Coordinates of all heavy atoms in Angstrom, one line a residue:
M5 N -63.6 19.9 69.8 CA -63.6 20.4 68.4 C -62.6 19.6 67.6 O -61.4 19.6 68.0 CB -63.3 21.9 68.4 CG -63.7 22.6 67.1 SD -63.4 24.3 67.0 CE -64.4 24.9 68.3
A6 N -62.9 19.0 66.6 CA -62.0 18.2 65.7 C -61.3 19.1 64.7 O -62.0 20.0 64.1 CB -62.7 17.1 65.1
N7 N -60.0 18.9 64.6 CA -59.3 19.7 63.7 C -59.3 18.9 62.3 O -59.1 17.7 62.2 CB -57.8 19.8 64.0 CG -57.6 20.7 65.2 OD1 -58.5 21.7 65.4 ND2 -56.6 20.6 66.0
S8 N -59.6 19.7 61.2 CA -59.7 19.1 59.9 C -58.2 19.1 59.3 O -57.6 20.1 59.2 CB -60.6 19.9 59.0 OG -60.6 19.4 57.7
F9 N -57.7 17.9 58.9 CA -56.4 17.8 58.4 C -56.5 17.4 56.9 O -57.0 16.3 56.6 CB -55.6 16.8 59.2 CG -54.2 16.6 58.6 CD1 -53.3 17.6 58.9 CD2 -53.8 15.5 57.9 CE1 -51.9 17.4 58.5 CE2 -52.6 15.3 57.5 CZ -51.6 16.2 57.8
R10 N -56.1 18.2 56.0 CA -56.2 17.9 54.6 C -54.8 18.2 53.9 O -54.1 19.2 54.2 CB -57.2 18.8 53.9 CG -58.6 18.5 54.3 CD -59.5 19.3 53.5 NE -60.8 18.7 53.6 CZ -61.6 18.3 52.6 NH1 -61.3 18.5 51.4 NH2 -62.8 17.8 52.8
L11 N -54.5 17.3 53.0 CA -53.2 17.4 52.3 C -53.5 18.1 50.9 O -54.6 17.8 50.3 CB -52.6 16.1 52.1 CG -52.1 15.4 53.3 CD1 -51.6 13.9 52.9 CD2 -51.0 16.1 54.0
T12 N -52.6 18.9 50.4 CA -52.7 19.5 49.2 C -52.3 18.4 48.1 O -51.7 17.5 48.5 CB -52.0 20.7 49.0 OG1 -50.5 20.5 49.1 CG2 -52.4 21.8 50.0
L13 N -52.6 18.7 46.8 CA -52.2 17.8 45.8 C -50.7 17.7 45.7 O -50.1 16.6 45.5 CB -52.8 18.1 44.5 CG -54.3 18.1 44.4 CD1 -54.8 18.6 43.1 CD2 -54.7 16.7 44.6
G14 N -50.0 18.7 45.9 CA -48.6 18.8 45.9 C -47.9 17.9 47.0 O -46.9 17.2 46.8
E15 N -48.5 18.0 48.2 CA -48.0 17.2 49.4 C -48.3 15.7 49.0 O -47.4 14.9 49.4 CB -48.7 17.7 50.6 CG -48.3 19.1 51.1 CD -49.3 19.5 52.1 OE1 -50.4 19.1 52.4 OE2 -48.7 20.5 52.9
I16 N -49.4 15.4 48.5 CA -49.7 14.0 48.2 C -48.8 13.4 47.2 O -48.2 12.3 47.3 CB -51.2 13.9 47.7 CG1 -52.2 14.2 48.8 CG2 -51.4 12.5 47.1 CD1 -53.7 14.3 48.3
F17 N -48.4 14.3 46.3 CA -47.4 13.9 45.2 C -46.1 13.6 45.8 O -45.5 12.6 45.6 CB -47.3 14.9 44.1 CG -46.2 14.7 43.1 CD1 -46.4 13.7 42.2 CD2 -45.1 15.3 43.1 CE1 -45.4 13.4 41.2 CE2 -44.0 15.1 42.3 CZ -44.2 14.1 41.3
L18 N -45.6 14.5 46.7 CA -44.3 14.4 47.3 C -44.2 13.1 48.2 O -43.2 12.5 48.3 CB -43.9 15.6 48.1 CG -43.6 16.9 47.1 CD1 -43.4 18.1 48.1 CD2 -42.4 16.6 46.3
I19 N -45.3 12.9 48.9 CA -45.3 11.8 49.9 C -45.2 10.5 49.1 O -44.5 9.6 49.3 CB -46.5 11.8 50.8 CG1 -46.5 12.9 51.8 CG2 -46.7 10.5 51.4 CD1 -47.8 13.2 52.5
Q20 N -46.0 10.4 48.0 CA -46.0 9.2 47.2 C -44.6 9.1 46.5 O -44.2 7.9 46.4 CB -47.1 9.2 46.2 CG -48.5 9.0 46.6 CD -49.5 8.9 45.6 OE1 -49.1 9.0 44.4 NE2 -50.8 8.8 46.0
L21 N -44.0 10.1 46.1 CA -42.8 10.1 45.4 C -41.7 9.6 46.4 O -40.9 8.7 46.0 CB -42.4 11.5 44.9 CG -41.1 11.6 44.1 CD1 -41.2 10.9 42.8 CD2 -40.8 13.1 43.7
I22 N -41.7 10.1 47.6 CA -40.8 9.5 48.6 C -40.9 8.1 48.8 O -40.0 7.4 48.9 CB -40.8 10.5 49.8 CG1 -40.3 11.8 49.6 CG2 -40.1 9.8 51.0 CD1 -40.7 12.8 50.7
I23 N -42.2 7.7 49.0 CA -42.3 6.2 49.3 C -41.9 5.4 48.0 O -41.3 4.5 48.3 CB -43.9 6.0 49.6 CG1 -44.3 6.7 50.9 CG2 -44.2 4.5 49.5 CD1 -45.7 6.7 51.1
W24 N -42.3 5.8 46.9 CA -41.8 5.1 45.7 C -40.3 5.1 45.6 O -39.7 4.1 45.2 CB -42.4 5.6 44.4 CG -43.8 5.0 44.2 CD1 -45.0 5.7 44.4 CD2 -44.1 3.7 43.8 NE1 -46.0 4.9 44.2 CE2 -45.6 3.6 43.8 CE3 -43.4 2.6 43.5 CZ2 -46.3 2.5 43.4 CZ3 -44.1 1.5 43.1 CH2 -45.5 1.4 43.1
L25 N -39.6 6.2 45.8 CA -38.2 6.2 45.8 C -37.6 5.3 46.8 O -36.5 4.7 46.6 CB -37.6 7.7 45.9 CG -37.9 8.5 44.6 CD1 -37.4 9.9 44.9 CD2 -37.1 7.9 43.4
V26 N -38.0 5.3 48.0 CA -37.5 4.4 49.1 C -37.7 2.9 48.6 O -36.8 2.1 48.8 CB -38.3 4.6 50.4 CG1 -38.0 3.4 51.4 CG2 -37.9 5.9 51.0
I27 N -38.8 2.6 48.0 CA -39.1 1.2 47.5 C -38.0 0.9 46.4 O -37.4 -0.1 46.3 CB -40.4 1.1 46.9 CG1 -41.5 1.1 48.2 CG2 -40.6 -0.3 46.3 CD1 -42.9 1.1 47.7
W28 N -37.8 1.9 45.5 CA -36.8 1.7 44.4 C -35.4 1.5 44.9 O -34.7 0.7 44.5 CB -36.9 2.9 43.4 CG -37.8 2.7 42.3 CD1 -39.0 3.3 42.2 CD2 -37.7 1.8 41.2 NE1 -39.7 2.9 41.1 CE2 -38.9 2.0 40.4 CE3 -36.8 1.0 40.7 CZ2 -39.1 1.3 39.2 CZ3 -37.0 0.3 39.6 CH2 -38.2 0.5 38.8
I29 N -35.0 2.3 45.9 CA -33.7 2.2 46.5 C -33.5 0.9 47.2 O -32.4 0.3 47.1 CB -33.4 3.4 47.3 CG1 -33.3 4.6 46.5 CG2 -32.1 3.2 48.2 CD1 -33.2 5.9 47.2
S30 N -34.5 0.5 47.9 CA -34.4 -0.7 48.8 C -34.4 -2.0 48.0 O -33.5 -2.9 48.3 CB -35.4 -0.7 49.9 OG -36.7 -0.9 49.3
N31 N -35.2 -2.1 47.0 CA -35.3 -3.3 46.2 C -35.8 -3.0 44.8 O -37.0 -3.0 44.6 CB -36.2 -4.3 46.9 CG -36.1 -5.7 46.3 OD1 -35.6 -5.9 45.2 ND2 -36.5 -6.7 47.0
P32 N -34.9 -2.8 43.8 CA -35.3 -2.4 42.5 C -36.2 -3.4 41.8 O -37.1 -3.1 41.0 CB -34.0 -2.3 41.7 CG -33.0 -1.9 42.8 CD -33.5 -2.7 43.9
Y33 N -36.0 -4.7 42.0 CA -36.8 -5.7 41.4 C -38.2 -5.6 41.9 O -39.2 -5.7 41.0 CB -36.2 -7.1 41.7 CG -37.0 -8.3 41.0 CD1 -37.0 -8.5 39.7 CD2 -37.8 -9.1 41.9 CE1 -37.7 -9.5 39.1 CE2 -38.6 -10.1 41.3 CZ -38.5 -10.3 40.0 OH -39.3 -11.3 39.5
V34 N -38.5 -5.6 43.2 CA -39.8 -5.5 43.7 C -40.5 -4.2 43.3 O -41.6 -4.1 42.9 CB -39.8 -5.6 45.2 CG1 -41.2 -5.3 45.8 CG2 -39.3 -7.0 45.6
A35 N -39.7 -3.1 43.2 CA -40.1 -1.8 42.8 C -40.6 -1.9 41.4 O -41.6 -1.3 41.0 CB -39.1 -0.8 43.0
S36 N -39.8 -2.6 40.5 CA -40.2 -2.6 39.1 C -41.6 -3.4 38.9 O -42.4 -3.0 38.1 CB -39.1 -3.2 38.2 OG -38.9 -4.5 38.6
L37 N -41.7 -4.5 39.7 CA -42.9 -5.2 39.7 C -44.1 -4.4 40.1 O -45.2 -4.4 39.5 CB -42.8 -6.5 40.4 CG -41.9 -7.6 39.9 CD1 -41.8 -8.8 40.8 CD2 -42.4 -8.1 38.5
L38 N -43.9 -3.8 41.3 CA -44.9 -2.9 41.8 C -45.3 -1.7 40.9 O -46.5 -1.3 40.7 CB -44.6 -2.4 43.2 CG -44.6 -3.3 44.3 CD1 -44.0 -2.7 45.6 CD2 -46.0 -3.9 44.6
T39 N -44.3 -1.1 40.3 CA -44.5 0.0 39.4 C -45.3 -0.5 38.2 O -46.3 0.3 37.9 CB -43.1 0.5 38.8 OG1 -42.4 1.0 39.9 CG2 -43.4 1.6 37.8
I40 N -45.1 -1.6 37.7 CA -45.9 -2.1 36.5 C -47.3 -2.4 37.0 O -48.3 -2.0 36.4 CB -45.2 -3.3 35.9 CG1 -43.9 -2.8 35.1 CG2 -46.1 -3.9 34.8 CD1 -43.0 -3.9 34.6
S41 N -47.4 -3.3 38.0 CA -48.7 -3.8 38.4 C -49.6 -2.6 39.0 O -50.8 -2.5 38.6 CB -48.6 -4.9 39.4 OG -48.0 -4.5 40.5
I42 N -49.2 -1.9 39.9 CA -49.9 -0.8 40.6 C -50.1 0.3 39.6 O -51.3 0.9 39.5 CB -49.2 -0.3 41.9 CG1 -49.3 -1.4 42.9 CG2 -50.0 0.9 42.3 CD1 -48.6 -1.0 44.2
G43 N -49.2 0.6 38.8 CA -49.4 1.6 37.7 C -50.5 1.2 36.8 O -51.4 2.1 36.4
I44 N -50.6 0.0 36.3 CA -51.6 -0.4 35.4 C -53.0 -0.4 36.1 O -54.0 0.0 35.5 CB -51.3 -1.7 34.8 CG1 -50.1 -1.6 33.8 CG2 -52.5 -2.4 34.1 CD1 -49.5 -2.9 33.3
M45 N -53.0 -0.9 37.3 CA -54.3 -0.9 38.1 C -54.8 0.5 38.3 O -56.0 0.7 38.1 CB -54.1 -1.7 39.4 CG -54.0 -3.1 39.2 SD -54.0 -4.0 40.7 CE -52.4 -3.8 41.3
V46 N -54.0 1.4 38.8 CA -54.4 2.7 39.0 C -54.9 3.5 37.7 O -55.9 4.1 37.7 CB -53.3 3.6 39.7 CG1 -53.7 5.1 39.8 CG2 -53.1 3.1 41.0
F47 N -54.2 3.2 36.7 CA -54.5 3.8 35.3 C -55.9 3.2 34.9 O -56.7 3.9 34.4 CB -53.5 3.5 34.3 CG -53.8 4.1 33.0 CD1 -53.5 5.5 32.8 CD2 -54.1 3.3 31.9 CE1 -53.8 6.0 31.5 CE2 -54.4 3.9 30.7 CZ -54.2 5.2 30.5
A48 N -56.1 2.0 35.0 CA -57.3 1.3 34.7 C -58.5 1.8 35.4 O -59.6 2.2 34.9 CB -57.2 -0.2 34.7
V49 N -58.3 2.0 36.8 CA -59.4 2.5 37.6 C -59.7 3.9 37.3 O -60.9 4.3 37.2 CB -59.0 2.4 39.1 CG1 -59.9 3.2 40.0 CG2 -59.0 0.9 39.6
L50 N -58.6 4.7 37.0 CA -58.9 6.1 36.6 C -59.7 6.2 35.2 O -60.7 7.0 35.2 CB -57.5 6.8 36.4 CG -57.7 8.3 36.0 CD1 -58.4 9.2 37.0 CD2 -56.3 8.9 35.7
I51 N -59.3 5.4 34.3 CA -60.0 5.5 33.0 C -61.4 5.1 33.1 O -62.3 5.7 32.7 CB -59.3 4.6 31.9 CG1 -57.9 5.2 31.6 CG2 -60.1 4.4 30.7 CD1 -57.9 6.6 31.1
I52 N -61.7 4.0 33.9 CA -63.1 3.5 34.1 C -63.9 4.5 34.9 O -65.0 4.8 34.6 CB -63.0 2.1 34.8 CG1 -62.5 1.0 33.9 CG2 -64.4 1.7 35.4 CD1 -62.2 -0.3 34.6
A53 N -63.2 5.2 35.9 CA -64.0 6.2 36.6 C -64.3 7.4 35.8 O -65.4 8.0 35.9 CB -63.1 6.7 37.8
I54 N -63.4 7.8 35.0 CA -63.7 8.9 34.0 C -64.8 8.5 33.0 O -65.7 9.4 32.8 CB -62.4 9.3 33.3 CG1 -61.4 10.0 34.3 CG2 -62.7 10.3 32.1 CD1 -60.0 10.3 33.7
I55 N -64.8 7.3 32.5 CA -65.8 6.9 31.5 C -67.1 6.9 32.2 O -68.1 7.4 31.7 CB -65.4 5.6 30.9 CG1 -64.2 5.8 29.9 CG2 -66.6 5.0 30.1 CD1 -63.6 4.5 29.4
S56 N -67.2 6.3 33.4 CA -68.4 6.2 34.1 C -68.9 7.6 34.6 O -70.1 7.9 34.6 CB -68.3 5.3 35.3 OG -67.4 5.8 36.3
E57 N -68.1 8.5 34.8 CA -68.4 9.9 35.2 C -68.9 10.6 34.0 O -69.9 11.4 34.1 CB -67.2 10.6 35.7 CG -67.5 11.9 36.4 CD -68.2 11.9 37.6 OE1 -68.3 10.9 38.3 OE2 -68.9 12.9 38.0
L58 N -68.5 10.3 32.8 CA -69.0 10.9 31.6 C -70.3 10.4 31.3 O -71.2 11.0 30.7 CB -68.0 10.7 30.4 CG -66.7 11.5 30.4 CD1 -65.8 11.0 29.3 CD2 -66.9 13.0 30.5
I59 N -70.5 9.2 31.5 CA -71.8 8.5 31.2 C -73.0 9.0 32.1 O -74.0 9.4 31.8 CB -71.8 7.0 31.3 CG1 -70.9 6.5 30.1 CG2 -73.2 6.3 31.2 CD1 -70.6 5.0 30.2
E60 N -72.6 9.0 33.4 CA -73.6 9.4 34.5 C -72.9 10.1 35.6 O -71.9 9.5 36.3 CB -74.3 8.2 35.0 CG -75.5 8.6 36.0 CD -76.3 7.5 36.5 OE1 -76.1 6.3 35.9 OE2 -77.0 7.6 37.4
R61 N -73.2 11.3 35.9 CA -72.7 12.1 37.0 C -72.7 11.4 38.3 O -73.9 10.8 38.6 CB -73.1 13.5 37.0 CG -72.7 14.3 35.9 CD -71.3 14.6 36.1 NE -71.0 15.9 35.5 CZ -69.7 16.1 35.1 NH1 -68.9 15.2 35.3 NH2 -69.4 17.2 34.5
S62 N -71.8 11.4 39.1 CA -71.9 10.9 40.5 C -71.4 11.9 41.5 O -71.1 13.1 41.1 CB -71.0 9.6 40.6 OG -69.6 10.0 40.5
K63 N -71.5 11.6 42.7 CA -71.1 12.6 43.8 C -69.6 12.4 44.2 O -69.2 12.8 45.2 CB -72.0 12.4 45.0 CG -73.4 12.8 44.7 CD -74.2 12.7 45.9 CE -75.7 13.1 45.5 NZ -76.6 13.2 46.7
V64 N -68.9 11.8 43.3 CA -67.4 11.7 43.6 C -66.8 13.0 43.4 O -66.9 13.6 42.3 CB -66.8 10.6 42.6 CG1 -65.3 10.6 42.8 CG2 -67.4 9.3 42.8
P65 N -66.0 13.4 44.4 CA -65.4 14.8 44.2 C -64.4 14.8 43.1 O -63.7 13.8 42.8 CB -64.8 15.1 45.6 CG -64.8 13.8 46.3 CD -65.8 12.9 45.7
R66 N -64.2 16.0 42.5 CA -63.2 16.1 41.4 C -61.8 15.8 41.9 O -61.0 15.4 41.1 CB -63.3 17.5 40.8 CG -62.5 17.8 39.6 CD -62.8 19.1 39.0 NE -64.1 19.2 38.5 CZ -64.5 18.9 37.2 NH1 -63.6 18.5 36.4 NH2 -65.7 19.0 36.8
N67 N -61.5 16.1 43.1 CA -60.2 15.9 43.7 C -59.7 14.4 43.6 O -58.5 14.0 43.5 CB -60.2 16.3 45.2 CG -58.8 16.6 45.7 OD1 -58.0 16.9 44.9 ND2 -58.7 16.5 47.0
Y68 N -60.7 13.5 43.7 CA -60.4 12.1 43.4 C -59.6 11.8 42.2 O -58.7 11.0 42.1 CB -61.7 11.2 43.5 CG -61.5 9.8 43.1 CD1 -61.0 8.9 43.9 CD2 -61.9 9.4 41.8 CE1 -60.8 7.5 43.5 CE2 -61.8 8.0 41.4 CZ -61.3 7.1 42.3 OH -61.1 5.9 41.9
F69 N -60.1 12.4 41.1 CA -59.5 12.2 39.8 C -58.1 12.8 39.7 O -57.2 12.2 39.1 CB -60.4 12.8 38.7 CG -61.7 12.1 38.6 CD1 -62.9 12.8 39.0 CD2 -61.9 10.9 38.0 CE1 -64.1 12.2 39.0 CE2 -63.2 10.3 38.0 CZ -64.3 10.9 38.5
Y70 N -58.0 13.9 40.4 CA -56.6 14.5 40.5 C -55.6 13.7 41.2 O -54.5 13.5 40.9 CB -56.7 15.9 41.0 CG -57.5 17.0 40.2 CD1 -58.3 17.8 40.7 CD2 -57.2 17.0 38.8 CE1 -59.0 18.7 40.0 CE2 -57.9 17.8 38.1 CZ -58.8 18.8 38.6 OH -59.4 19.7 37.9
V71 N -56.1 13.1 42.4 CA -55.3 12.2 43.2 C -54.9 11.0 42.4 O -53.7 10.6 42.5 CB -55.9 12.0 44.5 CG1 -55.2 10.9 45.3 CG2 -56.1 13.2 45.4
M72 N -55.8 10.4 41.7 CA -55.4 9.2 40.9 C -54.4 9.6 39.8 O -53.5 8.8 39.6 CB -56.7 8.6 40.2 CG -57.7 8.1 41.3 SD -57.1 6.6 42.1 CE -57.4 5.4 40.8
A73 N -54.6 10.7 39.1 CA -53.7 11.2 38.1 C -52.2 11.4 38.8 O -51.2 11.1 38.1 CB -54.2 12.3 37.4
I74 N -52.2 12.0 39.9 CA -51.0 12.3 40.5 C -50.3 11.0 41.0 O -49.1 10.9 41.0 CB -51.3 13.3 41.8 CG1 -51.4 14.7 41.2 CG2 -50.1 13.2 42.8 CD1 -51.8 15.7 42.3
S75 N -51.1 10.0 41.4 CA -50.5 8.8 41.8 C -49.8 8.1 40.6 O -48.8 7.5 40.7 CB -51.6 7.8 42.2 OG -52.2 8.3 43.4
I76 N -50.4 8.2 39.4 CA -49.8 7.6 38.2 C -48.5 8.4 37.9 O -47.4 7.8 37.6 CB -50.7 7.7 37.0 CG1 -51.8 6.7 37.3 CG2 -50.0 7.3 35.7 CD1 -53.0 6.9 36.3
L77 N -48.5 9.8 38.0 CA -47.4 10.7 37.8 C -46.3 10.3 38.7 O -45.2 10.3 38.3 CB -47.8 12.1 37.8 CG -46.8 13.1 37.4 CD1 -46.4 12.9 35.9 CD2 -47.3 14.5 37.7
A78 N -46.6 10.1 40.1 CA -45.6 9.9 41.0 C -44.9 8.5 40.7 O -43.6 8.4 40.9 CB -46.2 9.9 42.4
I79 N -45.6 7.5 40.3 CA -45.0 6.3 39.9 C -44.1 6.4 38.8 O -42.9 6.0 38.9 CB -46.1 5.2 39.6 CG1 -46.9 4.8 40.8 CG2 -45.6 4.0 38.9 CD1 -48.2 4.0 40.5
L80 N -44.5 7.2 37.7 CA -43.6 7.3 36.5 C -42.4 8.1 36.9 O -41.3 7.9 36.4 CB -44.4 7.9 35.4 CG -45.5 7.1 34.9 CD1 -46.4 7.8 33.9 CD2 -45.0 5.8 34.3
V81 N -42.6 9.2 37.7 CA -41.5 10.1 38.0 C -40.5 9.4 38.8 O -39.2 9.6 38.6 CB -42.0 11.4 38.6 CG1 -40.9 12.2 39.3 CG2 -42.8 12.2 37.7
S82 N -40.9 8.6 39.8 CA -39.9 7.9 40.7 C -39.2 7.0 39.9 O -38.0 6.7 40.1 CB -40.7 7.3 41.9 OG -41.6 6.3 41.4
A83 N -39.8 6.2 39.0 CA -39.1 5.3 38.1 C -38.1 6.0 37.2 O -37.0 5.5 37.1 CB -40.1 4.4 37.3
G84 N -38.5 7.1 36.7 CA -37.6 7.9 35.8 C -36.4 8.4 36.7 O -35.3 8.4 36.2
I85 N -36.6 8.9 37.9 CA -35.6 9.4 38.8 C -34.6 8.2 39.1 O -33.4 8.4 39.0 CB -36.1 10.0 40.0 CG1 -36.8 11.4 39.7 CG2 -34.9 10.3 41.0 CD1 -37.5 12.0 40.9
Y86 N -35.1 7.1 39.4 CA -34.2 6.0 39.8 C -33.5 5.5 38.5 O -32.3 5.4 38.7 CB -35.1 4.8 40.4 CG -34.2 3.7 40.7 CD1 -33.4 3.7 41.9 CD2 -34.0 2.6 39.9 CE1 -32.6 2.6 42.2 CE2 -33.1 1.5 40.2 CZ -32.4 1.6 41.3 OH -31.6 0.6 41.6
W87 N -34.1 5.5 37.4 CA -33.4 5.0 36.2 C -32.3 6.0 35.9 O -31.1 5.6 35.5 CB -34.4 4.9 35.1 CG -33.7 4.5 33.7 CD1 -33.3 3.3 33.4 CD2 -33.3 5.4 32.7 NE1 -32.8 3.3 32.2 CE2 -32.8 4.6 31.7 CE3 -33.5 6.7 32.5 CZ2 -32.4 5.1 30.5 CZ3 -33.0 7.2 31.3 CH2 -32.4 6.5 30.3
A88 N -32.5 7.3 35.9 CA -31.6 8.3 35.7 C -30.4 8.3 36.6 O -29.2 8.5 36.2 CB -32.2 9.7 35.7
V89 N -30.7 8.2 38.0 CA -29.6 8.1 38.9 C -28.8 6.8 38.7 O -27.5 6.8 38.9 CB -30.2 8.2 40.3 CG1 -29.3 7.8 41.5 CG2 -30.8 9.6 40.6
E90 N -29.5 5.7 38.4 CA -28.7 4.4 38.3 C -27.8 4.6 37.0 O -26.7 4.1 37.1 CB -29.8 3.3 38.1 CG -29.0 2.0 38.0 CD -30.0 0.9 37.7 OE1 -30.9 1.1 36.9 OE2 -29.8 -0.2 38.3
K91 N -28.3 5.1 35.9 CA -27.5 5.3 34.7 C -26.2 6.2 34.9 O -25.3 6.1 34.3 CB -28.3 5.8 33.6 CG -29.3 4.8 33.2 CD -28.7 3.5 32.7 CE -29.7 2.5 32.3 NZ -29.1 1.2 32.0
T92 N -26.4 7.2 35.8 CA -25.3 8.1 36.0 C -24.2 7.6 37.1 O -23.1 8.0 37.2 CB -25.7 9.5 36.6 OG1 -26.5 9.2 37.9 CG2 -26.6 10.2 35.6
G93 N -24.6 6.5 37.7 CA -23.7 5.8 38.6 C -23.7 6.3 40.0 O -22.8 6.0 40.8
W94 N -24.7 7.0 40.4 CA -24.7 7.6 41.8 C -25.0 6.5 42.8 O -24.8 6.8 44.0 CB -25.8 8.8 41.8 CG -25.3 10.0 41.2 CD1 -24.1 10.3 40.6 CD2 -26.0 11.2 41.1 NE1 -24.0 11.5 40.1 CE2 -25.2 12.1 40.3 CE3 -27.3 11.6 41.3 CZ2 -25.7 13.4 40.0 CZ3 -27.7 12.9 41.1 CH2 -26.9 13.8 40.4
L95 N -25.8 5.5 42.3 CA -26.1 4.4 43.3 C -25.2 3.2 43.1 O -24.7 2.9 42.2 CB -27.6 4.0 43.1 CG -28.6 5.0 43.6 CD1 -30.1 4.4 43.3 CD2 -28.5 5.3 45.1

């Protein structure tokens, strides 16, 4: 019997946030490039998916759209946390 392993949206957000913060701490330059490029790509895919879903319904679960939105939010929050911590001088 196979066990079903599912992450909640909050867990997905926290995992992504931790990964992004590790990237920001290890190399801010690479993190800024990744933040801009991946952020724009995920946002574009989300917008195109929403538009195509409005035009014609598909069998894509609603959770997909939430995960994409959380991915964008994790990118922005991690950049904001790093910027705030850097400005206060903790790093």
Side-chain angles (χ1 to χ4, degrees):
M5 196 180 297
N7 290 336
S8 178
F9 181 73
R10 291 186 165 234
L11 295 173
T12 64
L13 294 175
E15 292 169 340
I16 292 171
F17 174 75
L18 288 176
I19 290 169
Q20 288 185 4
L21 185 67
I22 290 168
I23 291 170
W24 278 105
L25 286 173
V26 167
I27 294 170
W28 271 104
I29 290 170
S30 65
N31 194 340
Y33 177 72
V34 171
S36 62
L37 292 177
L38 287 174
T39 296
I40 292 169
S41 61
I42 293 177
I44 290 172
M45 284 188 281
V46 171
F47 182 73
V49 168
L50 177 62
I51 295 300
I52 291 169
I54 289 172
I55 291 171
S56 66
E57 189 71 20
L58 291 173
I59 293 172
E60 182 178 347
R61 288 288 205 207
S62 64
K63 293 185 181 184
V64 175
R66 186 173 295 268
N67 203 24
Y68 169 79
F69 299 105
Y70 293 138
V71 170
M72 293 293 283
I74 283 176
S75 297
I76 296 168
L77 185 65
I79 291 171
L80 296 175
V81 169
S82 65
I85 289 173
Y86 181 79
W87 180 78
V89 168
E90 184 185 41
K91 291 300 177 188
T92 59
W94 287 356
L95 287 179

